């Protein structure tokens, strides 16, 4: 049965709004008199918000647990994101949404909380695939704008990026198959093999300004998916803040469903830490170790895309970004702070939490970022503002202009004579003409993220570096 993107556009737009009531198709039930509610015990005092977990002791037992946790964290986050999006569709009476393209036909904004570190440059299309029952066919349209479809395995590794860089202006037809699928494909269909049966196809289509939104949305809806079979049901609770049982149960489920022998072999290395075993069979001491250690283990991952040694305040991505291999440390950090990041050949993410002199970036001060003209990018560049949530994930900063990013497609920006653009970064809105180059910041600490899509050689080989962020006078 062929499933097109447009079937869920209205529901997805509704579900993207916090507090919006989702439609339901459940039949009405006859009302029955309510029984008196039993008396409830007095509520326990709420735990203090944003408590930083105490550092874990540096013992062999904790080191082994940390390795197991970082191996499993990305699969956990992948299934958590899958279940979050699927549950919203089911609440709207639209089925699971698996093996179906779900477009978001509006740009992400400050209410967007599904995925950490969203961009404000592209429309997104999300498709969670279950390849255990057979291929899923994907048709990519010919578009005269940047677009990409990134296929990720359950470990969040990017298996392939299809779009402008690979298909040019002609489009293409693909069959996405699981790791163990064997069979023949129709003529003219190219096979893309996933490393796992559960996979995520995430589409980006660039928007060149507000007036371009409708045209970009039209391009996005011309992506189509069709599945030859259904999906294997997954009834799993995957909370944002897991305890040991939820974490291990989810990771074990991800590995069992994957069909990836290599992943299963790697997981077997952590059997002593409980991977591959049911929670109930673990010793009480081991259960307690997981429950007690998880908050600190997750806190250790804070930084995500911003972690690493900076060059004049900017942190550049490692060469194995999105192609992690056995680098579980990087994979886990990115899963928390930048899930679904693209490989360097497709996009480069450069972040800053400090200025060129090592001072933390804070909205209480005013900062300057000077972007040179004619940056070597094949598609576009942008600079995005984020604030960090207590759990380490990055989201947009609410502001009066709903301006979350600026870039080479921002028509309001005023360049210098040499083509460079000086950006003013502060919390307060500048008066007068300088507001056109203002990037709103929160009152407290913030993170800047520079993105370059289809980066040129000087950005890829590191011979071109961004100028440092500098402190300037506050603009009233």
């Amino acid at each position: 049965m062929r499933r097109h993107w447009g079937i869920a556009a209205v529901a997805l737009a509704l579900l993207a709004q916090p507090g919006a009531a989702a439609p339901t198709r459940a039949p009405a039930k006859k009302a029955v008199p309510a029984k008196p509610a039993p008396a409830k015990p007095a509520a326990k005092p709420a735990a203090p918000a944003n408590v930083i977990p105490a550092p874990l002791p540096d013992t062999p037992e904790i080191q082994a647990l940390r390795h197991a946790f970082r191996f499993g964290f990305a699969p956990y986050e992948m299934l958590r994101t899958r279940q979050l999006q699927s549950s919203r569709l089911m609440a709207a009476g639209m089925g699971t949404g698996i093996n179906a393209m779900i477009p978001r036909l509006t740009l992400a904004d400050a209410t967007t909380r599904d995925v950490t570190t969203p961009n404000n440059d592209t429309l997104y299309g999300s498709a969670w695939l279950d390849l255990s029952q057979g291929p899923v066919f994907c048709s990519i349209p010919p578009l005269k704008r940047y677009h990409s479809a990134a296929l990720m395995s359950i470990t969040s590794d990017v298996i392939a990026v299809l779009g402008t860089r690979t298909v040019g202006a002609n489009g293409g037809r693909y069959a996405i198959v699981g790791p163990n699928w064997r069979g023949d494909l129709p003529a003219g269909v190219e096979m893309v093999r996933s490393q796992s049966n559960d996979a995520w196809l995430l589409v980006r289509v660039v928007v060149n300004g507000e007036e371009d939104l409708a045209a970009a949305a039209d391009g996005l809806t011309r992506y189509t998916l069709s599945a030859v079979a259904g999906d294997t049901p997954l009834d799993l609770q995957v909370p944002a803040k897991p305890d040991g049982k939820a974490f291990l149960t989810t990771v074990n489920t991800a590995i069992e469903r994957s069909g990836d022998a290599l992943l299963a072999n790697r997981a077997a290395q952590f059997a002593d830490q409980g991977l591959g075993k049911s929670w109930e069979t673990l010793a009480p001491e081991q259960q307690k170790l997981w429950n007690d250690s998880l908050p600190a283990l997750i806190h250790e991952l804070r930084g995500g895309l911003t972690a690493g040694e900076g060059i004049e305040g900017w942190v550049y991505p490692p060469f194995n970004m999105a192609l992690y291999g056995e680098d579980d440390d990087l994979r886990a950090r990115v899963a928390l702070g930048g899930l679904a990041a693209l490989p360097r050949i497709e996009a480069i993410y450069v972040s800053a939490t400090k200025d060129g002199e090592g001072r933390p970036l804070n909205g209480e001060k005013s900062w300057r970022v000077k972007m040179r003209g004619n940056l070597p990018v094949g598609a576009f560049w942008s600079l995005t503002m984020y604030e960090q949530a207590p759990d380490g994930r990055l989201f947009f900063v609410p502001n009066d202009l709903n301006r979350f990013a600026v870039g080479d497609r921002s028509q309001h920006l005023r360049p210098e004579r040499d083509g460079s653009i000086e950006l003013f970064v502060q919390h307060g809105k500048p008066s007068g003409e300088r507001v056109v180059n203002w990037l709103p910041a929160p009152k407290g600490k913030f993170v800047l993220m520079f993105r370059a899509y289809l980066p040129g050689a000087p950005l890829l080989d590191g011979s071109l570096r961004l100028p440092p962020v500098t402190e300037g006078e506050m603009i009233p």
Side-chain angles (χ1 to χ4, degrees):
M1 178 178 67
R2 195 170 188 81
R3 300 172 178 172
H4 293 283
W5 285 70
I7 62 170
V10 175
L12 196 67
L14 174 64
L15 294 173
Q17 301 173 12
T24 177
R25 295 181 183 174
K29 295 182 178 181
K30 185 177 180 180
V32 295
K35 296 181 179 180
K40 294 183 179 180
K44 295 180 180 179
N50 305 337
V51 173
I52 298 177
L56 295 171
D58 189 20
T59 64
E61 186 179 34
I62 291 297
Q63 291 174 4
L65 193 75
R66 180 180 292 113
H67 290 319
F69 164 76
R70 294 191 175 183
F71 167 80
F73 185 70
Y76 183 89
E77 281 295 286
M78 288 287 283
L79 277 192
R80 187 183 72 83
T81 305
R82 179 191 195 269
Q83 290 300 88
L84 175 64
Q85 297 183 2
S86 179
S87 64
R88 289 182 176 179
L89 289 174
M90 289 190 288
M94 303 187 68
T96 65
I98 305 302
N99 292 339
M101 292 277 196
I102 309 300
R104 177 168 182 149
L105 303 182
T106 58
L107 289 171
D109 58 23
T111 68
T112 303
R113 289 292 190 272
D114 283 5
V115 180
T116 181
T117 326
N119 78 51
N120 193 241
D121 307 305
T122 71
L123 298 179
Y124 283 109
S126 180
W128 287 94
L129 310 181
D130 182 347
L131 305 171
S132 62
Q133 307 299 309
V136 173
F137 293 89
C138 177
S139 178
I140 297 181
L143 297 180
K144 296 180 180 179
R145 63 174 66 238
Y146 173 80
H147 61 112
S148 64
L151 179 66
M152 290 163 279
S153 71
I154 198 61
T155 60
S156 77
D157 291 69
V158 175
I159 302 159
V161 183
L162 311 171
T164 298
R165 184 173 53 83
T166 59
V167 304
N170 299 320
R173 298 174 61 207
Y174 299 88
I176 304 172
V177 303
N180 304 309
W181 182 83
R182 298 292 183 272
D184 298 323
L185 295 173
V189 175
E190 182 177 343
M191 184 178 72
V192 178
R193 187 176 295 280
S194 172
Q195 295 171 353
S196 58
N197 284 320
D198 290 316
W200 189 14
L201 189 69
L202 189 63
V203 175
R204 298 168 172 91
V205 176
V206 70
V207 180
N208 298 311
E210 194 68 29
E211 69 285 349
D212 184 51
L213 184 60
D218 176 71
L220 177 60
T221 56
R222 286 195 281 140
Y223 268 82
T224 59
L225 272 189
S226 59
V228 299
D231 59 281
T232 303
L234 176 58
D235 183 13
L236 194 65
Q237 297 297 319
V238 193
K241 296 181 179 180
D243 58 12
K245 181 177 182 180
F247 182 79
L248 285 181
T249 301
T250 301
V251 174
N252 288 339
T253 299
I255 295 167
E256 292 167 3
R257 289 172 57 96
S258 72
D260 182 354
L262 179 61
L263 182 64
N265 289 337
R266 289 204 63 215
Q269 302 173 20
F270 304 105
D272 289 343
Q273 286 70 49
L275 264 68
K277 301 177 181 179
S278 67
W279 177 256
E280 289 72 22
T281 64
L282 301 185
E285 296 79 12
Q286 195 169 38
Q287 293 180 351
K288 185 176 187 304
L289 184 64
W290 271 109
N291 287 331
D292 293 349
S293 303
L294 266 175
L297 290 171
I298 295 174
H299 184 78
E300 289 175 355
L301 301 179
R302 283 171 58 92
L305 295 175
T306 68
E309 184 177 351
I311 300 175
E312 293 190 303
W314 293 100
V315 176
Y316 292 81
F319 286 97
N320 63 329
M321 175 63 73
L323 307 168
Y324 306 108
E326 296 189 4
D327 190 348
D328 296 327
D329 291 346
L330 176 62
R331 179 188 286 111
R333 289 202 311 271
V334 176
L336 179 69
L339 187 67
L342 292 166
R344 285 169 56 100
I345 193 172
E346 189 72 23
I348 282 184
Y349 309 89
V350 186
S351 61
T353 58
K354 301 177 181 178
D355 72 353
E357 298 182 11
R359 294 171 295 195
L361 300 180
N362 191 301
E364 294 179 354
K365 298 180 179 180
S366 185
W367 308 90
R368 306 292 183 269
V369 184
K370 194 160 188 177
M371 306 301 300
R372 58 172 282 181
N374 298 320
L375 281 168
V377 294
F380 63 91
W381 67 263
S382 66
L383 185 69
T384 307
M385 171 67 67
Y386 295 103
E387 58 182 348
Q388 192 171 58
D391 63 4
R393 295 175 175 87
L394 301 179
F395 300 110
F396 292 146
V397 177
N399 62 87
D400 292 341
L401 297 184
N402 282 332
R403 182 182 294 173
F404 313 111
V406 294
D408 58 358
R409 295 156 297 114
S410 300
Q411 298 181 7
H412 60 80
L413 293 178
R414 182 167 298 175
E416 305 291 328
R417 291 184 177 180
D418 62 359
S420 64
I421 299 173
E422 185 177 43
L423 301 171
F424 307 110
V425 182
Q426 61 183 48
H427 177 66
K429 181 180 178 180
S431 59
E433 296 181 351
R434 284 185 288 190
V435 71
V436 298
N437 284 15
W438 175 48
L439 182 58
K443 292 181 179 180
K445 293 181 180 179
F446 61 81
V447 177
L448 290 174
M449 186 74 68
F450 170 82
R451 289 176 170 88
Y453 285 77
L454 303 185
L459 284 169
L460 284 172
D461 63 22
S463 60
L464 187 151
R465 299 295 186 183
L466 298 179
V469 180
T470 59
E471 186 177 349
E473 293 184 3
M474 185 69 68
I475 304 173

